[in-house]
């Protein structure tokens, strides 16, 4: 098996003891029928909600407890290039075969679902999930085709103010929504000066994500001081940044979001 950063992952048998270091991938495993095989997750793996009560917490996405991971004797460890550091992947490789995902688009997500279907002998479940996802994408494409493009700024952090730029999954989903990211000329997750937001793009919409920073009304007022006509909306960050099976819910959410505009 070649993972999504072109590493060879060698598996002698179907893994039965899984550690997931990525919240959205943990949810995907459950929806593929693999909950009973998950032995370790991060403290951020909050879907489904009951999982943290029954599985061992092995740390966060950026700070893992390597001794606990060793004690769990995993057959495979699942990582992501953005969520986990290179050092974490290297440490995990010393313990068990380690698969790394790298997600920038819906096609990358579909490929990951296929790979998990193969790795865990869940090809039928993966195909079913992909069929549902393709239906949701098709339905949303019909919904969005006559919508006008709107200029947006998608905020993910405060102090410093940070936004979604180009070259990430959030920007891909913004594009699918006909949201033209005013910071698309900046890479990844840049810091920005909100006092210059009008001259840097003058967006129609300001989207304040629910994660990783918990934006509140007072933060909207801070931004409002520097724009004239833009509408500010609080949005569910999981719908814009979680890939895998979360996308089955995302496109209905996007339809509701457009109806709020």
């Amino acid at each position: 098996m070649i993972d999504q950063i072109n590493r060879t992952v060698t598996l002698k048998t179907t893994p039965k003891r899984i550690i997931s270091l990525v919240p959205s991938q943990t949810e995907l495993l459950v929806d593929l029928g693999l909950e009973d095989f998950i032995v370790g997750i991060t403290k951020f793996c909050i879907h489904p909600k009951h999982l943290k009560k029954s599985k061992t917490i092995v740390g966060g996405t950026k700070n893992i407890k390597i001794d606990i991971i060793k004690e769990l004797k995993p057959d495979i460890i699942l990582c992501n290039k953005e969520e986990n550091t290179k050092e974490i992947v290297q440490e995990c490789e010393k313990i068990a075969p380690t698969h790394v995902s790298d997600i920038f688009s819906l096609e990358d997500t579909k490929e990951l679902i296929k790979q998990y279907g193969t790795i865990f002998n869940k090809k039928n479940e993966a195909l079913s999930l992909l069929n549902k996802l393709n239906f949701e994408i098709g339905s949303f494409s019909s919904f969005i085709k006559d919508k006008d493009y709107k200029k947006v700024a998608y905020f993910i952090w405060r102090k410093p103010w940070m936004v979604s730029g180009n070259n990430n999954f959030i920007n891909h989903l913004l594009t699918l929504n006909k949201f033209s990211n005013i910071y698309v000329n900046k890479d990844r997750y840049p810091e920005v000066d909100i006092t210059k937001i009008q001259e840097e793009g003058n967006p129609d919409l300001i989207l304040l994500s629910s994660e990783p920073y918990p934006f509140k009304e007072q933060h909207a007022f801070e931004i409002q001081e520097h724009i004239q006509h833009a509408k500010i909306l609080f949005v569910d960050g999981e719908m814009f940044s979680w890939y895998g099976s979360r996308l089955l819910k995302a496109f209905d959410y996007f339809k509701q979001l457009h109806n709020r505009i």
Side-chain angles (χ1 to χ4, degrees), residues 49 206 214 237 248:
K49 293 181 179 180
I206 303 289
L248 295 178

Side-chain angles (χ1 to χ4, degrees), residues 46-63:
I46 58 174
H47 296 299
K49 293 181 179 180
H50 67 267
L51 212 59
K52 288 174 71 174
K53 296 179 181 178
S54 59
K55 307 300 179 182
T56 300
I57 306 298
V58 299
T61 54
K62 298 291 191 290
N63 296 285

Side-chain angles (χ1 to χ4, degrees), residues 177-220:
N177 276 277
K178 287 191 172 181
F179 293 152
S180 299
N181 186 354
I182 68 168
Y183 295 111
V184 74
N185 62 320
K186 299 178 184 292
D187 195 43
R188 305 294 287 160
Y189 305 103
E191 294 181 21
V192 297
D193 183 349
I194 62 170
T195 67
K196 297 180 179 179
I197 193 167
Q198 285 198 175
E199 60 189 80
E200 291 187 335
N202 196 22
D204 304 305
L205 294 171
I206 303 289
L207 305 181
L208 300 182
S209 179
S210 61
E211 63 171 42
Y213 188 87
F215 286 105
K216 301 291 189 294
E217 288 290 344
Q218 64 264 32
H219 307 131

